[in-house]
């Protein structure tokens, strides 16, 4: 692979990696029971801090949540973004309103910004000022290098968020790429280590909109995650646990008939995700980010956009059916177009589940039909597209597996790949 300037990936392993009960038009009860113990009163009413994300050359999403003592129909919020931490040079500002409809979250697409520039931002509401956030825009032309932090699988019950703390302390990161499983849906003790005294709230498996909102609230009160968001822009994509384990468009392994219609659970999870994450509102979550001529980041949605039901075995007669999809026709065409037309030296693919072949025939790492190995038609289509178009410098960055791997990518390492020379590999992961 040819390379000139560098893209550095900081891999941070975070862990071993029904309808809403309350109608939106009614004022909900604030989730004080169990959650209030995590409030840092010095941050009142901005207990969840601030966040930024989806940086472009001229704009960036900035986010906060205002938590009133009692339910209010609406809260007026002022926002400011500046080139200096003292806010002497405010380049944009405004006023918005938030309400229970958005779970009192605030999301601004702050524009009128310059490329490759550091900015500071803050919010004001209920006679208080939020913590000051730090963010940056993407470069427009060639830069010498980029640094992305790569994280995934942040299970609150499984361990402390030390990796987030270490990322927050750095000042050389262009963006944090969260590749999915930002939260976990299980009830208390369902999938974690309860001896750590980090117990999921609510205590039951989350299903409703109220449940998902409360779980995001708990995660975002963690001081290390809060600090990482405050100091760096995030670029996020969901995997399965933002909805339910091994989810796809029409169902999930961890969704049972007595938990209500899956479609309602899926939409509740989707709404809470867009409320609580600093992502740009859109009809689909797959999207791309250009970092000048050095790199283009291509974030895929391998869960809710088009994924069809998994098979139970490679012996299933539909295993290689062309109608089975991970990305689907529309997203696949978009993905191919981004790979072929970008002028960026590096193509960095934000990928939720392992793309590389991983059927080693061992109990620990046998074929995983929830990964790309379970969707061989599209897996091979991507490989053939990259090879036939001679697309160089493709890097898959992947979450999901709670393990660390590095691959030279080939769909069949036993027939078209030389492990000594690397001949036959068409990407790295």
């Amino acid at each position: 692979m040819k390379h000139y300037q560098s893209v550095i990936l900081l891999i941070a392993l975070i862990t071993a990696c029904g309808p809403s009960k309350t109608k939106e038009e009614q004022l909900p009860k604030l989730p004080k029971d169990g959650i209030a113990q995590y409030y840092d009163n010095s941050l009142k009413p901005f207990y969840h801090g601030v966040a930024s994300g989806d940086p472009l050359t001229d704009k960036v999403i900035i986010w906060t949540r205002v938590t009133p003592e009692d339910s209010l129909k609406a809260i007026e919020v002022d926002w400011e973004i500046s080139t200096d931490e003292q806010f002497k040079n405010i380049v944009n500002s405004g006023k918005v309103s938030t309400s229970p409809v958005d779970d009192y979250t605030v999301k601004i697409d702050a524009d009128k910004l310059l490329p490759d520039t550091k900015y500071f931002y803050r919010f004001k509401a209920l006679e208080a000022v939020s913590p000051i956030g730090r963010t940056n825009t993407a470069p427009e032309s060639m830069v010498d290098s980029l640094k992305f932090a790569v994280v995934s699988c942040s299970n609150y019950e499984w361990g402390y968020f030390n990796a987030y703390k270490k990322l927050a302390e750095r000042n050389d990161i262009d963006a944090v790429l969260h590749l999915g499983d930002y939260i976990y849906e299980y009830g208390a003790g369902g999938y974690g280590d309860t001896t750590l005294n980090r117990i999921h709230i609510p205590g039951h498996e989350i299903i409703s909109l109220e449940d998902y909102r409360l779980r995001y609230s708990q995660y975002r009160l963690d001081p290390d995650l809060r600090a990482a968001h405050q100091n760096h822009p995030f670029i996020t994509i969901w995997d399965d646990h933002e909805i339910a384990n091994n989810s796809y468009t029409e169902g999930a392994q961890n969704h049972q008939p007595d938990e209500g219609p899956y479609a309602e659970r899926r939409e509740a999870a989707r709404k809470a995700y867009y409320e609580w994450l600093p992502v740009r509102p859109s009809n689909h979550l797959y999207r791309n980010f250009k970092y000048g001529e050095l790199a283009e980041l291509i974030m895929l949605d391998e869960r809710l956009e088009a994924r069809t039901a998994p098979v139970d075995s490679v012996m299933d007669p539909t295993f290689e059916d062309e109608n089975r999809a991970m990305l689907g026709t529309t997203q696949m065409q978009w993905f191919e177009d981004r790979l072929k037309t970008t002028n960026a030296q590096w193509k960095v693919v934000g990928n939720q589940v392992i793309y590389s072949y991983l059927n080693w025939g061992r109990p620990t790492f046998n074929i995983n039909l929830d990964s790309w190995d379970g969707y061989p038609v599209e897996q091979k289509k991507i490989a053939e597209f990259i090879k036939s178009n001679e697309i160089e410098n493709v890097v898959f960055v992947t979450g999901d597996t709670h393990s660390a791997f590095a691959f030279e990518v080939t769909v069949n390492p036993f027939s078209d790949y030389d492990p000594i020379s690397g001949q036959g590999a068409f990407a790295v992961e």
Side-chain angles (χ1 to χ4, degrees), residues 8-12 14 52-55 134-136 147-152 154 163-170 172-180 182 224-225 227-237 273 277-279 287 289 291 297 299 397:
I8 298 175
L9 304 171
L10 306 171
I11 311 298
I14 296 299
S52 69
D54 281 11
R134 184 181 69 188
T135 191
N136 50 268
K147 286 186 180 180
F148 295 128
V150 179
V151 299
S152 68
S154 39
Y164 284 139
K165 181 177 186 293
K166 291 300 182 181
L167 292 180
E169 294 170 353
R170 300 184 67 120
D172 60 346
I173 295 173
D174 290 277
V176 176
L177 313 184
H178 201 299
L179 300 175
Y182 185 95
D224 295 335
L225 176 53
H229 272 297
Q230 182 176 346
N231 288 302
H232 305 295
F234 273 53
I235 298 175
T236 69
I237 197 78
Y273 185 91
L277 273 294
V279 298
R287 60 212 192 279
F289 298 89
Y291 280 80
L297 176 63
M299 301 293 283
V397 289

Side-chain angles (χ1 to χ4, degrees), residues 38-71:
Y38 300 109
Y39 286 172
D40 179 348
N41 287 327
S42 68
L43 300 177
K44 179 183 178 181
F46 299 99
Y47 301 111
H48 299 89
V50 297
S52 69
D54 281 11
L56 303 179
T57 58
D58 61 345
K59 60 178 66 175
V60 66
I61 295 290
I62 58 174
W63 178 99
T64 193
R65 192 205 193 226
V66 184
T67 305
E69 291 187 12
D70 297 299
S71 294

